[in-house]
Amino acid sequence: MRKNSRCMMLQLILFLNLLLLFGAVCAEEAPLQVKVSRQSSACSNSRVAVSAENNIFIVWDGLLGGRSRIFFREKSAGKWGPEFILDRTDWGDNSEPAIALDEKGNPHVVWTFHDTELSAVHYAFRLRNNWVAPVIIRQNSEKNCEFADIAVQSGTNRVFVTWQEGRGSIYAIWCATQDKKGRFVAEQVSAADRQGYNMYPEIFIAPTPFVTWYGAEGSNFSLHAALFNIQTERWMRFAPAGLENLPANRLPYLMADMQGVLHAVWYDSDGSTDRIYFGRQGDGSSCKGFIVDGNPRRMNSLPMGVVSQRGRIYLCWRGESIFGGQVFLTSGAGDYPSRLPKNLFGEQVRFEEPTLVSDGQKLFYTEPDCAPDAAGGVVVVWVSSALDGGDGAVYMRSIKP
């Protein structure tokens, strides 16, 4: 009896050891990233948003049946939903999606449509788990509509959309928002009396809706902005202060915090290779930028970023490595500009050591985007460039705090 008990105990110990070994192996083999796209190919322009309930929403454009379509996928309560096509077009190409969430966590998406006859800006949103059929905000048979962006105002759930419109070297910036009946009213916000090259608009909400873009003046670019007047329901031009040293010719990607303070990230040469630079409105000389990538011997490019509601700054970019193009991430936090020490290179924003987000495979990773989650972490998405030899898929990784 005692011998049998001893054998049973040894068997139990062996079984537990096997469980621990199996768990260790599974932990080692657990993927750092998740392949999000399934039916689409040659994906690009992936964008991500995360709700207060930590639901993850990802949109991108990809090829299906020889056409470019807009795809959507959601991860809710830890489970992935199906890959869903948002556009309802029977011909033409849909591309360049952008996504924003309203205060109830409903996704709102805009994208551009092109065929041989016209170009347009399309918009769709989800209400109570049902997608409302896309509407056309703007269409033009003579000019191209490009680089649409979207934001949703908290409290009112009012939708604001911006895009660039033109052809050749003549482009204007347009914005649209909903009137009291929910219809979109489009308005050109760049100067109508000046022929110029206006590009890369971005829309922000807090504390007042405003849009920024870059306009060419001769051989140089400069930053422009327009503010939405709530009383008159019209856009008016204004000049954000404290960005005099911003290298507009590098076309920095802009982010805004809850107070409307602008943050900028861009890439530029340090004399030997391209680095990722960061600057912030009102930081004095720091708007000349300081390096955040930690990758001094290889090329860095395509930076994106976001400022969370808690004021934490997340930056992601594509960086070359011994494994080819990979996705990197850093984050930092600092006091608002009025309380910052006046040092030269912005050490007041204490960025962490950059993290390699992608898995190191030689899949030509590129075009990253990121969004903070409600737990203090961040979700990063990117694509594997099919044109460069990758598998053309969309990937995602959730970074815990």
Side-chain angles (χ1 to χ4, degrees):
M1 185 74 175
R2 188 178 299 173
K3 183 177 180 180
N4 290 338
S5 298
R6 185 177 180 183
C7 289
M8 291 177 62
M9 181 64 68
L10 289 173
Q11 290 175 351
L12 179 61
I13 293 173
L14 177 61
F15 177 73
L16 291 175
N17 286 334
L18 288 173
L19 281 180
L20 291 173
L21 178 61
F22 178 76
V25 170
C26 289
E28 290 177 359
E29 295 180 353
L32 293 175
Q33 61 196 43
V34 176
K35 185 177 180 179
V36 179
S37 57
R38 297 298 179 185
Q39 57 179 320
S40 52
S41 62
C43 301
S44 61
N45 299 306
S46 58
R47 297 291 181 264
V48 61
V50 184
S51 71
E53 294 75 29
N54 275 340
N55 295 331
I56 301 171
F57 307 93
I58 302 174
V59 292
W60 68 92
D61 60 61
L63 295 180
L64 184 65
R67 295 195 297 124
S68 180
R69 312 295 299 273
I70 302 300
F71 294 86
F72 170 89
R73 202 169 181 202
E74 175 187 2
K75 185 179 183 182
S76 178
K79 297 182 179 180
W80 284 101
E83 192 173 357
F84 181 74
I85 298 177
L86 287 184
D87 68 86
R88 306 285 178 87
T89 58
D90 296 323
W91 60 85
D93 291 306
N94 302 270
S95 60
E96 301 170 352
I99 185 170
L101 306 181
D102 61 30
E103 63 180 357
K104 294 184 178 180
N106 295 307
H108 298 249
V109 182
V110 292
W111 65 91
T112 55
F113 168 83
H114 304 275
D115 65 12
T116 57
E117 297 181 356
L118 59 83
S119 181
V121 177
H122 290 199
Y123 161 72
F125 70 100
R126 196 176 72 180
L127 183 63
R128 301 186 186 94
N129 293 321
N130 294 314
W131 283 96
V132 178
V135 299
I136 299 175
I137 294 179
R138 171 84 171 174
Q139 64 181 18
N140 198 315
S141 60
E142 298 179 353
K143 299 177 181 179
N144 297 324
C145 298
E146 301 170 349
F147 299 112
D149 193 22
I150 186 171
V152 184
Q153 190 174 37
S154 179
T156 65
N157 280 341
R158 189 175 191 175
V159 178
F160 291 83
V161 178
T162 185
W163 66 94
Q164 67 184 51
E165 186 173 305
R167 186 167 291 176
S169 61
I170 307 299
Y171 272 83
I173 302 300
W174 285 74
C175 288
T177 188
Q178 296 162 307
D179 61 17
K180 295 180 180 179
K181 295 182 179 181
R183 299 171 301 190
F184 281 96
V185 178
E187 178 183 351
Q188 182 176 328
V189 297
S190 58
D193 58 345
R194 188 172 64 183
Q195 300 294 319
Y197 192 26
N198 301 285
M199 59 191 303
Y200 299 138
E202 295 183 60
I203 192 83
F204 306 98
I205 290 298
T208 302
F210 67 99
V211 62
T212 63
W213 70 93
Y214 294 101
E217 297 180 357
S219 59
N220 295 314
F221 281 95
S222 58
L223 180 67
H224 300 271
L227 188 73
F228 188 72
N229 190 315
I230 302 296
Q231 284 71 35
T232 64
E233 300 276 305
R234 299 297 300 271
W235 293 89
M236 60 184 191
R237 297 288 296 275
F238 87 108
L243 287 168
E244 295 81 6
N245 296 318
L246 188 72
N249 280 345
R250 300 296 177 262
L251 304 175
Y253 180 77
L254 299 178
M255 307 154 277
D257 61 20
M258 298 302 293
Q259 283 69 37
V261 176
L262 288 172
H263 303 59
V265 62
W266 66 94
Y267 70 98
D268 196 4
S269 173
D270 67 348
S272 58
T273 188
D274 283 346
R275 310 295 301 277
I276 303 299
Y277 288 81
F278 171 83
R280 184 165 58 170
Q281 182 180 7
D283 281 0
S285 59
S286 74
C287 276
K288 296 176 182 178
F290 61 97
I291 295 171
V292 298
D293 60 70
N295 190 26
R297 297 180 182 178
R298 294 181 172 88
M299 302 292 286
N300 304 274
S301 62
L302 301 178
M304 294 282 280
V306 65
V307 185
S308 73
Q309 292 186 358
R310 303 177 182 179
R312 190 157 192 87
I313 306 158
Y314 295 94
L315 305 177
C316 58
W317 64 91
R318 180 186 187 274
E320 291 293 337
S321 72
I322 59 175
F323 308 108
Q326 301 295 323
V327 175
F328 294 85
L329 173 78
T330 187
S331 67
D335 295 328
Y336 290 116
S338 61
R339 301 193 296 273
L340 292 175
K342 295 181 179 180
N343 50 357
L344 288 177
F345 299 106
E347 289 86 355
Q348 67 277 2
V349 182
R350 296 167 290 276
F351 280 100
E352 297 178 349
E353 189 72 20
T355 299
L356 175 64
V357 175
S358 52
D359 61 7
Q361 294 189 54
K362 293 185 178 181
L363 286 176
F364 303 95
Y365 296 134
T366 187
E367 297 181 359
D369 187 33
C370 60
D373 62 30
V378 61
V379 176
V380 187
V381 297
W382 65 93
V383 299
S384 170
S385 175
L387 291 177
D388 294 324
D391 63 6
V394 176
Y395 291 91
M396 184 216 77
R397 183 179 176 187
S398 182
I399 310 295
K400 301 302 181 183

